[in-house]
């Protein structure tokens, strides 16, 4: 039974990845920060099948101890300060977790489990002000937020440890991936939760920023399979993972409101408060390499994803009302 260590296991991606690995017969260990309360709702249904270790991306010693104790065959580093908006108000903390935290995890692996295979969660936000479209593995980075800058650091330090120390370390450059487990602060979930609340009479308007910003949106449950596939290859490499199609925030709104029998134009209000200081206008993946080498392909189309999220938020609000 192979052992996998997942940082960020309580997040959206961590929960789907844990499910996938358990189904494949792995022993799954989740790394969590010690605190008086920990949000386990995304993994509540599999808690009895998981193990946990307390460690912190800001504390090198705790990471080395965790890796040494469990001797994982695979390490998935998903933990980060992962919201672009927050990175503008907490840029230093974002750098510590999302940038230097990667170095600390790589150091822990190098010292305590040098043969472990290491996955780093890179991001399409690294491309930022894109210099070519679509974006592929060779596209130069031009990040437009403290989060994007920190992710670029995490990406390149992973490459450096691979090339300098012979570690099996890869980066998955994942484009936007959503689900009913997405945090409410992200625009996709903000929209679908807002639609549910408006449908049930809990609010009347949905305030958003740039409706013309375009993203490559897919289903998180599909994307964690690509993470696993990257660590099953004969040699380590980096891969872009996305749908290869772009949709605007306006299209997202239109589909989400349609799923609830509403017209977005009656409820969506643009608010300058939600515009970014430096906007990323167009991100779209070229996942050719992931499809060719990994044999990966997404299964859930965008329209189905949006309907799934609206349905889940409607069910949740109805349940809370009862």
């Amino acid at each position: 039974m192979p052992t996998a260590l997942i940082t960020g296991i309580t997040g959206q991606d961590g929960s789907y990845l844990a499910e996938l690995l358990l189904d494949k017969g792995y022993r799954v260990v989740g790394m969590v920060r010690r605190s008086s309360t920990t949000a386990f709702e995304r993994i509540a249904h599999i808690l009895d099948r998981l193990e946990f270790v307390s460690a912190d991306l800001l504390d090198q010693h705790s990471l080395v101890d965790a890796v040494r104790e469990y001797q994982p065959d695979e390490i998935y580093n998903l933990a980060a300060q992962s919201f672009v908006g927050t990175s503008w108000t907490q840029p230093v903390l974002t750098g510590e977790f999302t940038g230097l935290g990667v170095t600390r995890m790589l150091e822990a692996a190098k010292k305590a489990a040098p043969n472990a295979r290491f996955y780093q969660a890179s991001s399409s936000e690294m491309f930022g002000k894109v210099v070519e479209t679509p974006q592929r593995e060779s596209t130069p980075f031009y990040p437009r937020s403290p989060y994007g800058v920190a992710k670029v650091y995490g990406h390149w330090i992973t490459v450096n440890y691979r090339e300098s120390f012979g570690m099996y370390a890869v980066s998955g450059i994942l484009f936007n991936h959503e689900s009913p487990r997405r945090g409410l602060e992200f625009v996709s979930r903000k929209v679908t939760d807002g639609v549910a609340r408006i449908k049930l009479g809990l609010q009347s308007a949905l305030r958003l920023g740039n409706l013309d910003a375009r993203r490559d949106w897919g289903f998180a449950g599909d994307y964690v399979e690509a993470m696993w596939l990257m660590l099953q290859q004969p040699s380590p490499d980096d891969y872009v993972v996305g749908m290869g199609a772009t949709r605007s925030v306006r299209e997202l709104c239109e589909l989400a409101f349609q799923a609830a029998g509403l017209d977005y134009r009656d409820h969506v209000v643009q608010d300058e408060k939600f515009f970014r200081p430096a906007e990323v206008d167009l991100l779209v993946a070229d996942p050719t390499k992931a499809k060719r080498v990994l044999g990966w392909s997404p299964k859930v189309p965008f329209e189905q994803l949006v309907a799934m999220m609206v349905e889940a938020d409607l069910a949740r609000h109805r349940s809370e009302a009862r």
Side-chain angles (χ1 to χ4, degrees):
M1 178 186 293
T3 298
L5 174 66
I6 304 174
T7 76
I9 194 169
T10 60
Q12 170 189 254
D13 292 8
S15 67
Y16 282 109
L17 178 62
E19 287 176 346
L20 176 78
L21 296 177
L22 287 171
D23 288 345
K24 292 183 179 296
Y26 278 68
R27 176 195 189 195
V28 178
V29 181
M31 194 187 92
V32 294
R33 300 172 67 194
R34 187 178 298 280
S35 66
S36 56
T37 59
T38 303
F40 286 121
E41 61 265 20
R42 292 186 180 96
I43 52 173
H45 59 297
I46 53 173
L47 269 179
D48 60 338
R49 302 172 64 195
L50 301 171
E51 298 175 53
F52 296 95
V53 60
S54 178
D56 195 310
L57 286 180
L58 302 185
D59 179 29
Q60 183 71 67
H61 185 73
S62 69
L63 299 178
V64 173
D65 283 351
V67 174
R68 181 174 289 130
E69 178 180 357
Y70 286 95
Q71 290 296 300
D73 300 285
E74 298 172 3
I75 298 172
Y76 295 87
N77 185 42
L78 310 185
Q81 189 303 99
S82 60
F83 184 49
V84 174
T86 298
S87 78
W88 286 107
T89 56
Q90 298 182 350
V92 176
L93 185 68
T94 299
E96 284 285 355
F97 276 114
T98 308
L100 287 175
V102 184
T103 310
R104 296 187 188 104
M105 278 305 303
L106 286 162
E107 271 294 296
K110 180 166 72 78
K111 290 179 177 178
N115 293 322
R117 297 190 168 197
F118 185 95
Y119 173 86
Q120 165 58 17
S122 287
S123 167
S124 61
E125 288 288 331
M126 301 189 305
F127 295 122
K129 187 177 180 180
V130 298
V131 299
E132 67 175 358
T133 299
Q135 293 88 53
R136 53 185 64 86
E137 291 79 9
S138 59
T139 301
F141 300 135
Y142 196 147
R144 296 274 279 172
S145 66
Y147 169 79
V149 171
K151 280 292 187 182
V152 169
Y153 176 92
H155 178 89
W156 281 118
I157 200 68
T158 302
V159 173
N160 270 257
Y161 270 66
R162 178 170 74 216
E163 295 179 350
S164 301
F165 304 115
M167 294 175 64
Y168 193 111
V170 308
S171 283
I173 307 173
L174 271 57
F175 280 64
N176 293 64
H177 45 289
E178 321 298 323
S179 76
R181 302 178 194 174
R182 189 60 141 155
L184 287 168
E185 69 273 23
F186 291 89
V187 68
S188 60
R189 186 74 192 291
K190 181 179 179 180
V191 168
T192 62
D193 181 71
V195 167
R197 291 178 59 83
I198 290 169
K199 179 68 175 179
L200 298 176
L202 301 173
Q203 70 184 58
S204 59
L206 176 62
R207 308 186 78 85
L208 298 171
N210 182 10
L211 298 182
D212 297 316
R214 304 185 70 85
R215 292 293 183 273
D216 185 324
W217 275 301
F219 174 50
D222 289 339
Y223 286 38
V224 297
E225 183 186 19
M227 299 178 186
W228 176 76
L229 286 168
M230 289 179 210
L231 296 191
Q232 313 312 311
Q233 305 307 307
S235 57
D237 205 349
D238 306 323
Y239 299 88
V240 162
V241 177
M243 300 290 283
T246 180
R247 304 284 189 139
S248 69
V249 176
R250 193 183 307 277
E251 289 175 87
L252 167 66
C253 290
E254 186 174 7
L255 285 169
F257 278 90
Q258 279 180 358
L262 301 170
D263 188 331
Y264 84 97
R265 291 169 294 188
D266 296 332
H267 303 282
V268 173
V269 178
Q270 277 196 292
D271 188 334
E272 288 191 7
K273 181 175 71 173
F274 298 110
F275 280 74
R276 295 182 183 181
E279 186 58 76
V280 175
D281 294 313
L282 175 62
L283 292 174
V284 57
D286 178 358
T288 301
K289 180 178 174 183
K291 291 181 177 181
R292 174 174 50 83
V293 178
L294 304 178
W296 176 84
S297 62
K299 300 176 180 65
V300 178
F302 181 66
E303 294 80 3
Q304 182 182 338
L305 169 63
V306 175
M308 174 202 310
M309 293 174 66
V310 171
E311 183 178 336
D313 280 323
L314 279 167
R316 179 173 58 87
H317 282 297
R318 285 175 178 140
S319 176
E320 289 172 358
R322 285 196 297 270

